[in-house]
Amino acid sequence: MQNTSYKTYGTLNAARDNVIVYPTWYSGQHQENEWLIGPGMALDPGKYFIVVPSALGNGLSSSPSNTPEPYNQARFPEITLYDNVTLQHRLITEVWGISKVKLVVGWSMGAQQTFQWGALYPEMVERIVPFAGSAKTSPHNFVFLEGVKAALKADAAFAEGWYEKPPTKGLRAFARVYAGWGFSQPFYRQELWRTLDFSSLEDFLVSYWEGFFLKKDANNLLAMLWTWQHADISANPVFAGDFKKALGAIKARAIVLSPEIDLYFPPEDNEWEVEYMPNAICRRMPGVWGHFAGGGVNPVDIQLIDETLKEVLAG
């Protein structure tokens, strides 16, 4: 039995129609979504009941690190977008009796879950804003993930997933490979890591990237990586692999935000997807912060995302 951990912000109103669902991203936990929630922002807890469900594998919901034997560690089952979103749907319908969702929003793998929500529950979901994520993981994105996975597994301490202590060499290697993809080429050329208060490129790689992934469980990372690699909103019993049909099922008003230089989810992928979504537009996010334009680290991008959410909620 899989369990979804979650955190809520704000109060559910009497009509139960002020609901926003905000899924977590790859390896992220609910507190790492909080940069987009606050008074005066689009996701204002004074106005909305915001549910942040943790994705399976993130260490809070059912994960390799917290599942008892026999499905612990390397035995943890493969998890799909469909698994995550149907479980989240059960959460909000069974715990709170919610039948309408005003908005689903998410970054990266959270964006992929956002697309899945729209496709599976078109009568329930009124609006979606996925940012820096696609409805289906591309082959190039899949190959990138093969690289970080190989770096982690090459550490002998990983022991095929049955490690007794963290495989820190593998986690550091994982972080170093990831670093070349999270931000864009001009981000590094312009040394914008200095705006994040790092003294050198090496300091950025060690403190920001290695520091982040050393806190994560290796099997959790790999479980969520499998979900990301196989993300496809049509890979489920509802759509039986018909991707265009799944996109066409999304009735919600949709604004898809796509960073100009996202090395995982390039704008061209989103622009193709919205052609098959009946009520959607794709907007490019200008700038050089790459995939992390959606990560809450650049004030200009935060403002753009927040303004977009205010626009879609007002419509």
Side-chain angles (χ1 to χ4, degrees):
M1 179 67 178
Q2 303 292 340
N3 294 303
T4 297
S5 176
Y6 63 90
K7 185 173 180 179
T8 64
Y9 306 78
T11 304
L12 184 63
N13 64 14
R16 300 181 183 181
D17 63 358
N18 66 332
V19 180
I20 293 174
V21 179
Y22 183 13
T24 56
W25 39 277
Y26 176 72
S27 81
Q29 298 182 341
H30 61 256
Q31 68 274 12
E32 289 159 320
N33 274 12
E34 290 177 349
W35 60 270
L36 198 52
I37 300 170
M41 300 185 75
L43 305 189
D44 188 338
K47 296 173 63 177
Y48 299 109
F49 180 61
I50 304 157
V51 182
V52 179
S54 281
L56 295 165
N58 83 341
L60 297 178
S61 294
S62 294
S63 305
S65 63
N66 63 21
T67 297
E69 294 180 336
Y71 287 105
N72 60 317
Q73 290 189 276
R75 286 274 189 246
F76 192 72
E78 294 167 343
I79 300 294
T80 64
L81 287 184
Y82 181 77
D83 296 329
N84 271 295
V85 172
T86 53
L87 200 58
Q88 293 165 18
H89 178 263
R90 285 187 59 194
L91 169 72
I92 71 162
T93 56
E94 294 178 11
V95 173
W96 296 290
I98 291 165
S99 59
K100 285 288 183 182
V101 174
K102 191 168 288 290
L103 170 71
V104 184
V105 57
W107 173 48
S108 194
M109 210 167 89
Q112 296 186 308
Q113 293 168 73
T114 299
F115 281 110
Q116 185 73 88
W117 262 99
L120 288 178
Y121 306 108
E123 305 302 328
M124 184 179 198
V125 177
E126 297 175 348
R127 303 164 183 83
I128 63 169
V129 179
F131 54 98
S134 64
K136 183 177 181 178
T137 295
S138 70
H140 187 251
N141 198 342
F142 185 98
V143 171
F144 150 67
L145 292 165
E146 284 294 294
V148 291
K149 179 169 69 176
L152 176 53
K153 289 179 145 186
D155 185 351
F158 178 68
E160 301 299 322
W162 297 105
Y163 46 88
E164 295 183 0
K165 60 181 181 179
T168 54
K169 287 183 180 179
L171 289 167
R172 288 181 185 274
F174 184 100
R176 294 251 170 179
V177 178
Y178 215 107
W181 289 76
F183 294 91
S184 74
Q185 297 94 335
F187 171 90
Y188 283 105
R189 186 165 58 247
Q190 296 171 28
E191 299 187 351
L192 290 176
W193 38 264
R194 294 187 185 278
T195 67
L196 301 174
D197 295 326
F198 294 99
S199 61
S200 67
L201 179 57
E202 181 66 10
D203 182 29
F204 181 55
L205 294 176
V206 173
S207 297
Y208 187 91
W209 286 103
E210 294 184 17
F212 179 81
F213 283 113
L214 283 168
K215 298 173 186 174
K216 304 297 182 179
D217 177 81
N219 280 323
N220 290 355
L221 291 173
L222 292 175
M224 296 190 76
L225 189 148
W226 192 96
T227 305
W228 180 354
Q229 283 190 307
H230 296 86
D232 177 350
I233 65 167
S234 69
N236 53 61
V238 179
F239 301 107
D242 189 334
F243 187 48
K244 291 180 182 178
K245 181 180 179 182
L247 290 169
I250 301 172
K251 296 181 181 180
R253 182 191 177 194
I255 299 179
V256 180
L257 291 177
S258 193
E260 282 280 1
I261 318 175
D262 190 330
L263 302 180
Y264 308 145
F265 305 101
E268 294 79 9
D269 290 354
N270 289 147
E271 288 164 354
W272 183 89
E273 288 168 346
V274 300
E275 289 182 16
Y276 297 93
M277 296 166 61
N279 196 18
I281 59 172
C282 179
R283 290 183 186 164
R284 295 196 178 203
M285 297 177 67
V288 301
W289 286 68
H291 185 62
F292 274 67
V297 289
N298 178 28
V300 173
D301 293 319
I302 293 172
Q303 183 177 356
L304 187 153
I305 294 166
D306 186 55
E307 288 175 352
T308 302
L309 293 175
K310 286 178 178 175
E311 174 190 345
V312 78
L313 283 165

